[in-house]
Amino acid sequence: MNILLIGSGGREHALAWKMKQSPLCERLFCAPGNGGINQIAEHVDLDVDDHRAVATFAKGNDIGLVVVGPEGPLVAGLADELIAVGIRVFGPQAKAAQLEGSKGFTKDICAKYNIPTAAYGRFSDEAAALDYLAAQNIPVVIKADGLAAGKGVIVATTRAEAETAVKNIFGGMFGAAGAEVVIEDCLVGEEASFFALCDGETAVPLATAQDHKQVGEGDTGPNTGGMGAYSPAPVMSAEMCQRTMDEIIKPTVQAMKDIGAPFKGVFFAGLMITDKGPELIEYNVRFGDPECQVLMVRMKDDLVELLVAAADGNLAGRQTHWRNEMALSVVMAANGYPGSYDKGSQIGNLNNASAGDGVEIFHAGTKIEDSKTLAVGGRVLNVTALGKSVSEAKEAAYGAVKKVDWPGGFYRRDIGWRAVQREKG
Ligand code: AMP
Ligand code: GLY
């Protein structure tokens, strides 16, 4: 079948790389793509915010599956528009995408279905939010309700910081995403990401990962989209995975059915493993970036077949299969990221760097111009490797990173540190 992939990040490069391996994949198109994706998929010049244009392209090119990478188009209703004209799509419709699009929506579902999560209050009025805050313990977590590109969460360690966060959000710091504010208790434990496919009725676990959100080594400094990840997450024992399915994912599947918005797509559950067990921090309704990259190099199944089964409601009785090796991905970012950064610096020696066994270099913010690879985004490359342990995967990934010739970029040298420490005992 012909497939159209929507997105331009390292996540989409990993999805494209994996889908290309499927015997089911005939032509693979991507909009807008990037320098890496466009080497393995046909670039389509489409405005992905123009849903009608995407549907028209899909109709005209015999597309059997549209795979939507990022959350924006899902929350904006791209899947609804495609389904309305009979096109198969992997990714939830707008109402179900509220699980990511509105933190308050998800918290209310957790409350109603007894899903373990931090205690919270939800406010559309600043004075009421400040009143509630006055009675909370510190640290406390302040969140803009809507999509804020991963920046709408403030873990406040003083009361003054918490009050400022509430005022800033209501003051428009995150635009419309901050029309509502959620105030949550601060959970204590180790974080992990859990992924499961869902066809509206049945959820099938994928795998787990852990990412490093902060830009600085030792998990310090401002948050980013993610500076690296590894899979599986050592904290996610078989028991924790089972509990996550039973206590978090399955009740969510039921909740979404009950409100008439069955969830079809991938659940990306951000978890805190507290002394009580897994608790939900947040849902995303798409694969993580760079978590997807470490998942895809470990997945043994045919990805296209799984995504079609999720879209068609055929996941019942299925399981997914994973390589025993660990995967680790190091993000190389443009100097200055996540602040302002230069564009257009040249990257060299990529073929040589990715030549090692089990090493894949996924592109994020790159473009190819006159056969040169240029950095055009903040996060630019995801150097990903497999190994028998996290330490081995780390060594292989950094071995490749060091071969990349890119003076315009930087990377964290400690991706996987917590897991490596565990392995060393
Ligand atoms: P989110 O964008 O909701 O994933 O939040 C970003 C980060 O903020 C999470 O990865 C956590 O590190 C932290 N965070 C969010 N909510 C809480 C919470 N209730 N307790 C502790 N940390 C949290
Ligand atoms: N790496 C975190 C995310 O994709 O949201």
Side-chain angles (χ1 to χ4, degrees), residues 11 71 100 150 193 211-213 224-228 268 282 284 286-291 379:
R11 164 181 53 212
E71 64 278 15
E100 178 163 1
S193 302
D211 81 336
H212 293 271
K213 283 205 172 62
T224 70
M227 292 302 290
F268 166 1
E282 64 160 359
N284 299 306
R286 34 97 193 157
F287 284 104
D289 186 347
E291 291 89 338
R379 292 189 295 168

Side-chain angles (χ1 to χ4, degrees), residues 14 29 49 53 60 82 115 136 188 206 209 215 223 231 234 241 272 282 291 326 375 392 423:
F29 298 92
D49 296 326
L82 293 169
I115 295 169
Q136 303 309 305
V188 179
L206 288 169
V215 73
N223 269 340
S231 172
C241 289
M272 188 72 86
E282 64 160 359
E291 291 89 338
M326 313 280 163
E392 265 191 42
E423 283 175 357

Side-chain angles (χ1 to χ4, degrees), residues 10 210 212 217 226-230 289-291 293-294 327-333 359-364 379-386 390 393-402 404 406 410-417:
Q210 213 143 339
H212 293 271
E217 284 164 15
M227 292 302 290
Y230 51 99
D289 186 347
E291 291 89 338
Q293 291 81 313
V294 285
L328 183 140
S329 185
V330 179
V331 171
M332 299 184 75
V359 174
E360 295 297 334
I361 300 186
F362 297 115
H363 290 225
R379 292 189 295 168
V380 172
L381 297 171
N382 311 133
V383 182
T384 310
L386 289 162
V390 178
K394 181 177 177 189
E395 202 171 311
Y398 280 102
V401 165
K402 290 195 181 101
V404 176
W406 183 31
F410 75 99
Y411 54 89
R412 274 181 60 166
R413 288 167 301 177
D414 65 341
I415 300 305
W417 64 269

Side-chain angles (χ1 to χ4, degrees), residues 103 107 117-119 141 143 150-155 184-188 191 211 213 223 270 272 280-284:
K103 295 188 190 296
K107 295 298 278 188
T117 189
V141 185
K143 300 183 174 182
K151 298 185 179 79
V153 174
I154 296 101
V155 181
E184 286 181 20
D185 288 0
C186 192
L187 297 170
V188 179
E191 282 186 56
D211 81 336
K213 283 205 172 62
N223 269 340
M272 188 72 86
L280 183 71
I281 296 177
E282 64 160 359
Y283 269 125
N284 299 306

